[in-house]
Amino acid sequence: MTAEEVLKKIKLIELKSKRRLNSSFLGEYNSLFKGVGMTFSELRPYQFGDDVRKIDWNKTAHFHEPLVKIFEEEREMTSILLIDVSGSMNFGTRKQFKNETAAEISAILAFSAIKNNDKVGLILFSDKIEAFIPPKKGNAQVIHIIKTILDIKSINKSANLNLCIDFLLKTIKRKASIFLISDFDIGDYEKKLCILSKKHQVTGIRIYDRVELNFPDIGWAHLKDLETGDLKWVNTSNKSIREQYSKEYKKLLLQTKNVFTKCGSGFINIATDQDYIKELFNYFKERH
């Protein structure tokens, strides 16, 4: 896209996101993320029903009356968007490409974080880290994130999620809410994902195009691997080829969901032509 097209797309995504962020959605988003810990607030006299473990015995001895420590939850969170920008994300046959859906979902999540007075950051990855925006607050941060996503040119590379997780663990020390957006055609990453999930709250958002579920019968087709650039002729009229493709793809879907479940992380499937606001809302509500 040209600079003018990028700015136009940013404006459209911004308007669309703000228009669809209603109080119900923000309420569910807020309820999902409970904060990262407890901070000391004040001392007050012991009251019937208080947990005796909260009594500050030093202060109690000093003031000659039982005093308890009151703690408040740390509400401010940090959200990190991890987005796969490898070649397979540059595909779509319905409403839009997978990477465009990823950009819109990222905008919704980023604006939700800002509305919740949280920080939001971005990591774009393929077989390396393509871009990193440290977490900050404010609408300008969201616009910067959207522009960075849209500015990334089509990358004919595979995705290395393990490398991305290593980078995140070294960079983001405090507990954060991680949204990992990809089509998850990215090899073995279970071990690293489980390590990440122990430290952070992780949600996988898998973007797919419906034609990937059931390959259409269009005769002989010259297909290109978007990650390697390899070309290959395939007879899509061959029923056994289509069935084998569908079987392998659905197997990959199940494996991906099982990996996230095993690691204690959340997971959502979203099609490029699907109402992603509804899917996100239902997910937040269910997790809460």
Side-chain angles (χ1 to χ4, degrees), residues 175 192-202 263 265:
K175 184 175 180 179
K192 294 284 186 181
L193 180 66
C194 287
I195 293 172
L196 182 68
S197 299
K198 286 179 181 178
K199 183 171 182 181
H200 300 285
Q201 186 170 354
V202 180
C263 293
S265 301

Side-chain angles (χ1 to χ4, degrees), residues 5 44 50-51 89 96 99 102 106 108 110 143 164 170 224 230 255 273:
E5 288 172 333
R44 67 160 170 76
D50 283 342
D51 188 341
M89 292 292 286
Q96 56 191 8
N99 53 12
S106 298
I108 288 288
I143 301 303
C164 181
K170 291 176 184 176
K224 180 179 180 179
D230 294 341
Q255 286 176 342
D273 61 343

Side-chain angles (χ1 to χ4, degrees), residues 180-197:
L180 174 50
I181 305 175
S182 173
D183 56 9
F184 292 101
D185 186 13
I186 46 182
D188 184 14
Y189 53 88
E190 181 179 318
K191 184 178 179 180
K192 294 284 186 181
L193 180 66
C194 287
I195 293 172
L196 182 68
S197 299

